[in-house]
């Protein structure tokens, strides 16, 4: 019982099957469990009929608390976050919260004496996809999370600058997202989609306005390319933006839908001629980091978030004309791509290694445990041979 303990809240749960936060939760949970921590991860389950609110299983030495919610969509997420906070409040553990969607429930954890470390994600209330009321909710939630948490994590220097308008910089740590090098991949996932290595461009993103999917499709489709554009992401014909994206697409654009199998996505990245990244809002985007680790030449929207993540040597665009020029270059001047691919791998190794990212999270948790002075997270209980290495 004297081992360090941490509860991870805010994600859909593990094993990861949805996105960047779930992958971070999975990697960090395994890292901490291997180093002697008692780790709990909360997992969301939307059900038609509530049978049992909480059930517990064990996965790779990690306690999974499965939380049933008899709702769907945003209401399901809010209900899940509340029941997680209620359950974690009775636990003897540090709380690591990923994102601030459930920030209104963090004061409940503070009221029950919990120590909270929160990854503040991107600036959600700036995303144009949200209406005014949703933006207002996220704006208020950001402030609540900033002040209800003992310490904040920014995944990008620009996010740290933004958070410094909410809390003193001494309360903020900057830790980016991580990834693994991809040096080979099978071609079977390409064969299944009728693709040939190096004869397609790839986009992996939610199909939303702030990810520039419509400009990407329009720019590519203005002329015949003799290559494909593969747009991974779920399309809903009831969504006007999604309909506009489909309408703008020429016959060389392929919409495979959402593909969540990591091996398939790795293969599609690895064999792509270049990666297209149109995100305009957010911090260190997991998809962009994974593209760098795959050695992709990157055509990215030119903003402070993407520029820091990619580093120099890639192909930024400010408008649709510059985007089309970058696409043309990628498809007609292959000699220009080799230096960009080398720069991508160099940047990934320099800034986004999982070993470094996970070690820094553990260092933050140990520091909070020392400050809290609680026995459940005494840093001396970590195995001596697993002490975090100095940077």
């Amino acid at each position: 019982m004297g081992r360090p303990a941490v509860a991870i809240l805010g994600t859909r749960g593990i094993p990861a099957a949805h996105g960047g936060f779930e992958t971070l939760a999975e990697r960090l949970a395994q890292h901490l469990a291997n180093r002697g921590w008692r780790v709990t991860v909360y997992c969301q389950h939307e059900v038609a009929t509530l049978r049992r609110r909480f059930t517990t299983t064990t996965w790779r030495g990690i306690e999974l608390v499965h939380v049933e919610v008899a709702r769907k969509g945003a209401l399901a997420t809010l209900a899940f976050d509340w029941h997680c906070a209620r359950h974690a409040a009775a636990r003897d553990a540090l709380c690591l919260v990923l994102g601030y969607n459930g920030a209104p429930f963090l004061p409940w954890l503070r009221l029950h004496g919990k120590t909270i470390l929160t990854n503040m994600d991107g600036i959600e209330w700036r995303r144009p996809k949200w209406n005014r009321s949703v933006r207002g909710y996220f704006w208020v939630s950001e402030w609540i999370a900033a002040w209800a948490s003992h310490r904040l994590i920014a995944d990008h220097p620009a996010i740290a600058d933004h958070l410094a308008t909410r809390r003193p910089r001494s309360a903020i740590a900057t830790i980016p997202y991580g990834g693994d090098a991809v040096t080979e991949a099978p071609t079977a996932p390409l064969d299944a989609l009728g693709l040939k290595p190096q004869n397609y461009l790839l986009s992996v993103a939610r199909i939303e306005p702030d990810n520039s999917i419509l400009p990407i499709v329009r720019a590519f489709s203005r002329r015949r390319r003799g290559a494909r554009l593969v747009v991974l992401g779920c399309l809903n014909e009831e969504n006007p933006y999604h309909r506009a994206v489909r309408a703008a697409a020429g016959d060389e654009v392929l919409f495979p839908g959402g593909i969540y199998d990591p091996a398939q996505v790795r293969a599609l990245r690895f064999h792509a001629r270049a990666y297209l990244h149109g995100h305009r809002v957010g911090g260190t985007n997991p998809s962009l980091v994974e593209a760098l680790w795959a050695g992709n030449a990157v055509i990215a929207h030119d903003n402070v978030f993407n520029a820091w993540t990619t580093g120099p040597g890639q192909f930024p665009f400010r408008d649709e004309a510059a985007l089309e020029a970058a696409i043309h270059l990628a498809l007609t001047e292959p000699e220009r791509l080799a230096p960009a691919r080398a720069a991508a791998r160099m940047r990934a190794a320099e800034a986004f290694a999982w070993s470094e990212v996970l070690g820094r999270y553990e260092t933050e948790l140990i520091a909070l445990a020392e400050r809290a002075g609680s026995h459940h997270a005494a840093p001396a209980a970590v195995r001596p041979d697993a002490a975090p290495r100095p940077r």
Side-chain angles (χ1 to χ4, degrees):
M1 292 298 294
R3 289 183 298 158
V6 61
I8 301 177
L9 303 85
T11 80
R12 290 178 178 268
I14 63 173
H18 293 280
F21 262 162
E22 284 72 29
T23 300
L24 171 59
E26 179 179 313
R27 295 298 293 260
L28 182 58
Q30 290 182 86
H31 170 85
L32 294 174
N34 290 340
R35 292 163 68 87
W37 291 72
R38 289 179 290 131
V39 183
T40 299
V41 179
Y42 288 90
C43 306
Q44 180 176 342
H45 296 274
E46 295 178 16
V47 297
T49 303
L50 184 66
R51 287 190 167 87
R52 187 173 180 184
R53 178 71 71 190
F54 302 106
T55 55
T56 302
T57 61
T58 301
W59 180 76
R60 298 184 180 179
I62 301 158
E63 180 189 42
L64 305 184
V65 177
H66 305 276
V67 184
E68 290 188 358
V69 287
R71 297 175 181 269
K72 292 187 178 296
L75 290 178
T77 300
L78 279 175
F80 170 69
D81 288 335
W82 161 239
H83 291 298
C84 290
R86 184 168 62 88
H87 191 275
R91 289 296 190 91
D92 188 20
L94 298 169
C95 292
L96 171 61
V97 181
L98 301 179
Y100 56 76
N101 288 7
F105 310 123
L106 297 188
W108 180 262
L109 292 172
R110 288 294 297 264
L111 184 65
H112 287 77
K114 300 297 105 177
T115 301
I116 305 169
L117 175 66
T118 299
N119 181 314
M120 295 293 285
D121 199 11
I123 309 173
E124 195 68 23
W125 52 268
R126 285 187 183 171
R127 297 186 187 277
K129 68 176 181 177
W130 302 122
N131 62 36
R132 183 172 296 183
S133 60
V134 174
R135 290 187 194 183
Y137 171 81
F138 283 129
W139 187 85
V140 171
S141 294
E142 182 183 82
W143 277 98
I144 294 173
W147 283 100
S149 305
H150 291 80
R151 191 156 169 80
L152 310 178
I153 292 176
D155 69 5
H156 189 288
I159 297 296
D161 291 342
H162 170 72
L163 294 177
T165 68
R166 273 70 172 142
R167 286 284 296 276
R169 285 193 180 272
S170 59
I172 304 164
T174 302
I175 308 176
Y177 191 76
D180 296 308
V182 181
T183 57
E184 60 181 4
T187 58
L190 280 65
D191 299 336
L193 297 173
L195 299 171
K196 296 179 180 179
Q198 299 302 308
N199 198 42
Y200 64 93
L201 305 180
L202 178 67
S203 166
V204 183
R206 292 186 178 92
I207 299 178
E208 298 170 350
D210 51 301
N211 293 341
S212 308
I213 305 301
L214 181 56
I216 288 172
V217 170
R218 275 198 308 242
F220 181 88
S221 300
R222 281 182 179 166
R223 66 175 78 176
R224 298 293 299 176
R225 303 290 181 181
R228 306 298 299 271
L229 169 63
V230 181
V231 180
L232 292 193
C234 295
L235 281 168
N236 179 356
E237 291 304 319
E238 296 181 359
N239 183 311
Y241 187 77
H242 292 187
R243 291 199 301 270
V245 168
R246 273 202 186 275
D251 61 6
E252 292 179 307
V253 180
L254 176 64
F255 297 101
I259 297 178
Y260 300 104
D261 178 74
Q264 291 184 51
V265 178
R266 278 196 301 271
L268 288 169
R269 289 189 196 282
F270 181 75
H271 294 292
R273 193 176 188 90
Y275 175 74
L276 290 161
H277 189 79
H279 292 56
R280 295 178 298 188
V281 181
T284 301
N285 182 267
S287 184
L288 184 51
V289 169
E290 289 160 7
L292 297 176
W293 276 112
N296 289 142
V298 176
I299 300 170
H301 185 272
D302 188 8
N303 58 63
V304 65
F305 303 109
N306 297 337
W308 179 84
T309 303
T310 64
Q314 303 305 326
F315 305 96
F317 67 89
R318 280 281 182 178
D319 54 32
E320 205 165 307
L323 170 57
E324 184 178 6
I327 289 172
H328 182 71
L329 181 151
L331 293 175
T332 60
E333 301 183 39
E335 69 278 3
R336 299 280 299 275
L337 301 183
R341 289 170 177 157
R345 290 194 180 277
M346 185 178 299
R347 177 61 178 157
E350 170 189 77
F352 306 116
W354 271 126
S355 57
E356 174 75 5
V357 169
L358 301 178
R360 289 165 68 183
Y361 267 93
E362 185 177 19
T363 297
E364 289 293 327
L365 289 167
I366 288 174
L368 279 178
E370 289 178 330
R371 191 169 76 178
S374 53
H375 74 275
H376 64 256
V382 180
R383 296 196 308 270
D385 62 329
R389 297 175 182 173
R391 294 187 63 197

